[in-house]
PDB file of all heavy atoms in Angstrom:
ATOM      1  N   MET A   3     -33.411  42.252  91.887  1.00 68.00           N
ATOM      2  CA  MET A   3     -33.600  43.691  91.676  1.00 68.00           C
ATOM      3  C   MET A   3     -32.788  44.172  90.477  1.00 68.00           C
ATOM      4  O   MET A   3     -31.608  43.861  90.361  1.00 68.00           O
ATOM      5  CB  MET A   3     -33.125  44.436  92.933  1.00 68.00           C
ATOM      6  CG  MET A   3     -34.250  44.906  93.831  1.00 68.00           C
ATOM      7  SD  MET A   3     -34.909  46.504  93.320  1.00 68.00           S
ATOM      8  CE  MET A   3     -33.557  47.593  93.783  1.00 68.00           C
ATOM      9  N   LEU A   4     -33.430  44.916  89.595  1.00 77.00           N
ATOM     10  CA  LEU A   4     -32.717  45.433  88.433  1.00 77.00           C
ATOM     11  C   LEU A   4     -32.090  46.768  88.790  1.00 77.00           C
ATOM     12  O   LEU A   4     -32.741  47.620  89.389  1.00 77.00           O
ATOM     13  CB  LEU A   4     -33.695  45.620  87.273  1.00 77.00           C
ATOM     14  CG  LEU A   4     -34.451  44.363  86.834  1.00 77.00           C
ATOM     15  CD1 LEU A   4     -35.448  44.688  85.739  1.00 77.00           C
ATOM     16  CD2 LEU A   4     -33.476  43.307  86.373  1.00 77.00           C
ATOM     17  N   SER A   5     -30.821  46.959  88.437  1.00 88.00           N
ATOM     18  CA  SER A   5     -30.165  48.217  88.786  1.00 88.00           C
ATOM     19  C   SER A   5     -30.674  49.318  87.846  1.00 88.00           C
ATOM     20  O   SER A   5     -31.137  49.056  86.736  1.00 88.00           O
ATOM     21  CB  SER A   5     -28.650  48.077  88.667  1.00 88.00           C
ATOM     22  OG  SER A   5     -28.296  47.896  87.320  1.00 88.00           O
ATOM     23  N   SER A   6     -30.556  50.573  88.316  1.00 92.00           N
ATOM     24  CA  SER A   6     -31.060  51.667  87.479  1.00 92.00           C
ATOM     25  C   SER A   6     -30.191  51.824  86.231  1.00 92.00           C
ATOM     26  O   SER A   6     -30.681  52.196  85.165  1.00 92.00           O
ATOM     27  CB  SER A   6     -31.142  52.968  88.259  1.00 92.00           C
ATOM     28  OG  SER A   6     -29.870  53.318  88.688  1.00 92.00           O
ATOM     29  N   SER A   7     -28.901  51.475  86.315  1.00 93.00           N
ATOM     30  CA  SER A   7     -28.069  51.593  85.106  1.00 93.00           C
ATOM     31  C   SER A   7     -28.479  50.538  84.073  1.00 93.00           C
ATOM     32  O   SER A   7     -28.463  50.787  82.875  1.00 93.00           O
ATOM     33  CB  SER A   7     -26.581  51.493  85.447  1.00 93.00           C
ATOM     34  OG  SER A   7     -26.286  50.228  85.981  1.00 93.00           O
ATOM     35  N   TYR A   8     -28.881  49.355  84.563  1.00 94.00           N
ATOM     36  CA  TYR A   8     -29.370  48.317  83.638  1.00 94.00           C
ATOM     37  C   TYR A   8     -30.658  48.804  82.967  1.00 94.00           C
ATOM     38  O   TYR A   8     -30.824  48.694  81.747  1.00 94.00           O
ATOM     39  CB  TYR A   8     -29.622  47.008  84.403  1.00 94.00           C
ATOM     40  CG  TYR A   8     -30.387  45.963  83.612  1.00 94.00           C
ATOM     41  CD1 TYR A   8     -29.726  45.103  82.744  1.00 94.00           C
ATOM     42  CD2 TYR A   8     -31.776  45.852  83.730  1.00 94.00           C
ATOM     43  CE1 TYR A   8     -30.434  44.153  82.007  1.00 94.00           C
ATOM     44  CE2 TYR A   8     -32.488  44.906  82.995  1.00 94.00           C
ATOM     45  CZ  TYR A   8     -31.816  44.059  82.143  1.00 94.00           C
ATOM     46  OH  TYR A   8     -32.520  43.129  81.408  1.00 94.00           O
ATOM     47  N   GLU A   9     -31.552  49.382  83.772  1.00 94.00           N
ATOM     48  CA  GLU A   9     -32.837  49.831  83.213  1.00 94.00           C
ATOM     49  C   GLU A   9     -32.643  50.955  82.199  1.00 94.00           C
ATOM     50  O   GLU A   9     -33.329  51.015  81.180  1.00 94.00           O
ATOM     51  CB  GLU A   9     -33.765  50.263  84.336  1.00 94.00           C
ATOM     52  CG  GLU A   9     -34.296  49.048  85.078  1.00 94.00           C
ATOM     53  CD  GLU A   9     -35.258  49.400  86.204  1.00 94.00           C
ATOM     54  OE1 GLU A   9     -35.395  50.592  86.534  1.00 94.00           O
ATOM     55  OE2 GLU A   9     -35.857  48.461  86.761  1.00 94.00           O
ATOM     56  N   GLN A  10     -31.654  51.818  82.491  1.00 93.00           N
ATOM     57  CA  GLN A  10     -31.370  52.923  81.569  1.00 93.00           C
ATOM     58  C   GLN A  10     -30.858  52.367  80.231  1.00 93.00           C
ATOM     59  O   GLN A  10     -31.299  52.770  79.153  1.00 93.00           O
ATOM     60  CB  GLN A  10     -30.287  53.788  82.200  1.00 93.00           C
ATOM     61  CG  GLN A  10     -30.295  55.206  81.765  1.00 93.00           C
ATOM     62  CD  GLN A  10     -29.234  55.981  82.544  1.00 93.00           C
ATOM     63  OE1 GLN A  10     -28.350  55.412  83.184  1.00 93.00           O
ATOM     64  NE2 GLN A  10     -29.301  57.285  82.470  1.00 93.00           N
ATOM     65  N   ARG A  11     -29.946  51.413  80.320  1.00 93.00           N
ATOM     66  CA  ARG A  11     -29.389  50.805  79.117  1.00 93.00           C
ATOM     67  C   ARG A  11     -30.494  50.073  78.334  1.00 93.00           C
ATOM     68  O   ARG A  11     -30.603  50.192  77.122  1.00 93.00           O
ATOM     69  CB  ARG A  11     -28.283  49.815  79.530  1.00 93.00           C
ATOM     70  CG  ARG A  11     -27.493  49.274  78.390  1.00 93.00           C
ATOM     71  CD  ARG A  11     -26.712  50.376  77.737  1.00 93.00           C
ATOM     72  NE  ARG A  11     -25.840  49.891  76.697  1.00 93.00           N
ATOM     73  CZ  ARG A  11     -25.528  50.583  75.616  1.00 93.00           C
ATOM     74  NH1 ARG A  11     -26.019  51.801  75.442  1.00 93.00           N
ATOM     75  NH2 ARG A  11     -24.708  50.097  74.725  1.00 93.00           N
ATOM     76  N   ARG A  12     -31.324  49.339  79.060  1.00 95.00           N
ATOM     77  CA  ARG A  12     -32.397  48.583  78.415  1.00 95.00           C
ATOM     78  C   ARG A  12     -33.340  49.526  77.668  1.00 95.00           C
ATOM     79  O   ARG A  12     -33.805  49.214  76.581  1.00 95.00           O
ATOM     80  CB  ARG A  12     -33.167  47.806  79.489  1.00 95.00           C
ATOM     81  CG  ARG A  12     -34.203  46.856  78.928  1.00 95.00           C
ATOM     82  CD  ARG A  12     -35.070  46.308  80.018  1.00 95.00           C
ATOM     83  NE  ARG A  12     -35.756  47.381  80.724  1.00 95.00           N
ATOM     84  CZ  ARG A  12     -36.359  47.260  81.910  1.00 95.00           C
ATOM     85  NH1 ARG A  12     -36.351  46.100  82.532  1.00 95.00           N
ATOM     86  NH2 ARG A  12     -36.956  48.286  82.459  1.00 95.00           N
ATOM     87  N   SER A  13     -33.583  50.686  78.246  1.00 93.00           N
ATOM     88  CA  SER A  13     -34.508  51.596  77.579  1.00 93.00           C
ATOM     89  C   SER A  13     -33.896  52.169  76.289  1.00 93.00           C
ATOM     90  O   SER A  13     -34.597  52.348  75.286  1.00 93.00           O
ATOM     91  CB  SER A  13     -34.961  52.642  78.589  1.00 93.00           C
ATOM     92  OG  SER A  13     -34.807  53.900  78.140  1.00 93.00           O
ATOM     93  N   GLN A  14     -32.567  52.407  76.266  1.00 91.00           N
ATOM     94  CA  GLN A  14     -31.923  52.835  75.004  1.00 91.00           C
ATOM     95  C   GLN A  14     -32.045  51.732  73.956  1.00 91.00           C
ATOM     96  O   GLN A  14     -32.320  51.977  72.785  1.00 91.00           O
ATOM     97  CB  GLN A  14     -30.421  53.090  75.220  1.00 91.00           C
ATOM     98  CG  GLN A  14     -30.105  54.277  76.090  1.00 91.00           C
ATOM     99  CD  GLN A  14     -28.628  54.269  76.522  1.00 91.00           C
ATOM    100  OE1 GLN A  14     -27.916  53.286  76.361  1.00 91.00           O
ATOM    101  NE2 GLN A  14     -28.193  55.395  77.076  1.00 91.00           N
ATOM    102  N   ILE A  15     -31.844  50.484  74.406  1.00 92.00           N
ATOM    103  CA  ILE A  15     -31.885  49.343  73.479  1.00 92.00           C
ATOM    104  C   ILE A  15     -33.298  49.170  72.936  1.00 92.00           C
ATOM    105  O   ILE A  15     -33.508  48.937  71.746  1.00 92.00           O
ATOM    106  CB  ILE A  15     -31.383  48.067  74.200  1.00 92.00           C
ATOM    107  CG1 ILE A  15     -29.905  48.212  74.526  1.00 92.00           C
ATOM    108  CG2 ILE A  15     -31.648  46.818  73.370  1.00 92.00           C
ATOM    109  CD1 ILE A  15     -29.375  47.151  75.483  1.00 92.00           C
ATOM    110  N   GLU A  16     -34.272  49.308  73.820  1.00 93.00           N
ATOM    111  CA  GLU A  16     -35.670  49.182  73.389  1.00 93.00           C
ATOM    112  C   GLU A  16     -35.987  50.233  72.326  1.00 93.00           C
ATOM    113  O   GLU A  16     -36.590  49.928  71.295  1.00 93.00           O
ATOM    114  CB  GLU A  16     -36.612  49.356  74.582  1.00 93.00           C
ATOM    115  CG  GLU A  16     -38.066  49.330  74.148  1.00 93.00           C
ATOM    116  CD  GLU A  16     -39.039  49.657  75.278  1.00 93.00           C
ATOM    117  OE1 GLU A  16     -38.587  49.815  76.426  1.00 93.00           O
ATOM    118  OE2 GLU A  16     -40.231  49.763  74.982  1.00 93.00           O
ATOM    119  N   HIS A  17     -35.557  51.462  72.582  1.00 92.00           N
ATOM    120  CA  HIS A  17     -35.841  52.535  71.636  1.00 92.00           C
ATOM    121  C   HIS A  17     -35.223  52.196  70.284  1.00 92.00           C
ATOM    122  O   HIS A  17     -35.853  52.360  69.228  1.00 92.00           O
ATOM    123  CB  HIS A  17     -35.292  53.859  72.167  1.00 92.00           C
ATOM    124  CG  HIS A  17     -35.739  55.027  71.357  1.00 92.00           C
ATOM    125  ND1 HIS A  17     -35.082  55.435  70.213  1.00 92.00           N
ATOM    126  CD2 HIS A  17     -36.803  55.851  71.484  1.00 92.00           C
ATOM    127  CE1 HIS A  17     -35.729  56.463  69.689  1.00 92.00           C
ATOM    128  NE2 HIS A  17     -36.758  56.732  70.433  1.00 92.00           N
ATOM    129  N   TYR A  18     -34.004  51.711  70.319  1.00 90.00           N
ATOM    130  CA  TYR A  18     -33.299  51.391  69.068  1.00 90.00           C
ATOM    131  C   TYR A  18     -34.022  50.265  68.312  1.00 90.00           C
ATOM    132  O   TYR A  18     -34.385  50.406  67.147  1.00 90.00           O
ATOM    133  CB  TYR A  18     -31.850  51.003  69.369  1.00 90.00           C
ATOM    134  CG  TYR A  18     -31.103  50.546  68.145  1.00 90.00           C
ATOM    135  CD1 TYR A  18     -30.756  51.456  67.139  1.00 90.00           C
ATOM    136  CD2 TYR A  18     -30.754  49.218  67.962  1.00 90.00           C
ATOM    137  CE1 TYR A  18     -30.087  51.040  66.000  1.00 90.00           C
ATOM    138  CE2 TYR A  18     -30.085  48.794  66.828  1.00 90.00           C
ATOM    139  CZ  TYR A  18     -29.754  49.715  65.849  1.00 90.00           C
ATOM    140  OH  TYR A  18     -29.098  49.292  64.725  1.00 90.00           O
ATOM    141  N   PHE A  19     -34.262  49.126  68.968  1.00 92.00           N
ATOM    142  CA  PHE A  19     -34.823  47.984  68.248  1.00 92.00           C
ATOM    143  C   PHE A  19     -36.307  48.180  67.924  1.00 92.00           C
ATOM    144  O   PHE A  19     -36.790  47.685  66.914  1.00 92.00           O
ATOM    145  CB  PHE A  19     -34.621  46.681  69.032  1.00 92.00           C
ATOM    146  CG  PHE A  19     -33.228  46.136  68.855  1.00 92.00           C
ATOM    147  CD1 PHE A  19     -32.270  46.301  69.838  1.00 92.00           C
ATOM    148  CD2 PHE A  19     -32.864  45.480  67.692  1.00 92.00           C
ATOM    149  CE1 PHE A  19     -30.984  45.819  69.672  1.00 92.00           C
ATOM    150  CE2 PHE A  19     -31.581  44.992  67.513  1.00 92.00           C
ATOM    151  CZ  PHE A  19     -30.642  45.167  68.500  1.00 92.00           C
TER     152      PHE A  19
END
Side-chain angles (χ1 to χ4, degrees):
M3 258 275 289
L4 302 177
S5 67
S6 61
S7 63
Y8 168 85
E9 286 181 351
Q10 206 176 15
R11 189 66 175 148
R12 187 190 59 196
S13 128
Q14 292 167 348
I15 293 168
E16 176 187 355
H17 189 275
Y18 175 70
F19 280 102

